[in-house]
Amino acid sequence: MKSASSIFRWLIVPVCLCAGVSPASYAFAFNPPPGAQISAPVDVEDALPDAPKPRPPIAEKGLPLAILKDQITIWTSLVRVRTHDLIWLVPLGAAAGVALATDTDVMRDVSRDRTFNKDSVNVSNSLLGFEIAVPVSLYGVGLFKGNPHARETGILSGEALADSVVVEEVTKIIFRRERPLYNNAAGDFFAPNIGANGSFPSSHSMLAWTLAGVITGEYPSKWVQVGVYSVASGVSLTRVLGQEHFPSDVLVGATAGWLIGHYVFEKHHVHPVSRALRTKLGG
């Protein structure tokens, strides 16, 4: 039985890439227009094809339909994986495989002092709450001060968060993984009576990195990136320290979240300053 569980942990890696991580692989797969010339990639970032060109600005009333269209694309993303996606899928699959293989040992070494665990959980909640407050505040500024850039950031953050919530809840129900504090951190999948309270993937991590994908796209300065990515990393780390999630849970959640956030930004952003900054930075 133990060997079967180990085999499943390795088999689930490609599933993670398709159902948990690759949901946003559609962000990097599209067909160029006829006659278009594609230059050879010069670095890792350039090697990843961009999402479709920005469409007309999305308003609040258009969010339900936009989210529905996003979900259709997300759950059919497997057919959009291309050979050039291997440049990031292979190392990501290797990292996910290592994390899945070592999850139990790592979590047994993490402190199980309930005070420490509770403090870590509180920190993760606070960091995520702070990160969510950023686009909410920007939306308020945009709405009441007439700032279209700030308003766009708030709207796209809301769309991306909704997309991620749907993906992570469905994924949790499918995989039903036990949390680290159960069964001596065995991390069994398809456990009974788990439902949407499963460990895989990490909701906090996924939402934090979803917002990171949108905010750093809208405001692509080094200081914003350092700040936002530090907060998102803190959320992921404290979920593990709080014995709420395994390392693979936060890895898959963070990757899927960032890809979804990045895709929503690339699909809908229209603010001219944002585009000018991205051009200046070579985006």
Side-chain angles (χ1 to χ4, degrees), residues 153-164:
T153 304
I155 292 175
L156 297 190
S157 294
E159 178 185 348
L161 283 176
D163 286 332
S164 289

Side-chain angles (χ1 to χ4, degrees), residues 2-99:
K2 183 177 180 180
S3 60
S5 177
S6 299
I7 293 173
F8 174 75
R9 286 174 182 269
W10 286 104
L11 290 177
I12 200 175
V13 173
V15 177
C16 296
L17 299 178
C18 297
V21 176
S22 269
S25 65
Y26 56 86
F28 308 119
F30 71 104
N31 294 322
Q37 294 182 351
I38 302 177
S39 57
V42 295
D43 55 32
V44 173
E45 182 177 355
D46 291 338
L48 298 178
D50 293 326
K53 293 181 179 180
R55 299 177 181 179
I58 184 171
E60 292 86 344
K61 64 180 181 180
L63 283 176
L65 181 59
I67 294 169
L68 177 61
K69 290 181 177 179
D70 289 343
Q71 290 301 310
I72 294 174
T73 308
I74 288 172
W75 296 106
T76 59
S77 62
L78 180 59
V79 299
R80 295 177 177 81
V81 174
R82 299 292 184 266
T83 302
H84 54 245
D85 292 322
L86 295 178
I87 196 170
W88 59 275
L89 279 173
V90 170
L92 182 58
V98 171

Side-chain angles (χ1 to χ4, degrees), residues 161-235:
L161 283 176
D163 286 332
S164 289
V165 167
V166 173
V167 171
E168 60 92 359
E169 287 297 310
V170 172
T171 305
K172 281 177 180 292
I173 293 174
I174 292 174
F175 289 107
R176 305 192 307 277
R177 190 182 196 186
E178 292 180 334
R179 291 184 181 263
L181 287 176
Y182 289 93
N183 196 20
N184 195 25
D188 291 337
F189 289 85
F190 308 117
N193 303 320
I194 296 295
N197 192 40
S199 182
F200 182 87
S202 166
S203 301
H204 281 63
S205 184
M206 192 165 179
L207 298 181
W209 285 90
T210 295
L211 289 174
V214 175
I215 295 173
T216 57
E218 292 283 0
Y219 300 93
S221 74
K222 291 183 179 179
W223 289 112
V224 171
Q225 291 180 2
V226 169
V228 173
Y229 287 140
S230 294
V231 172
S233 297
V235 172

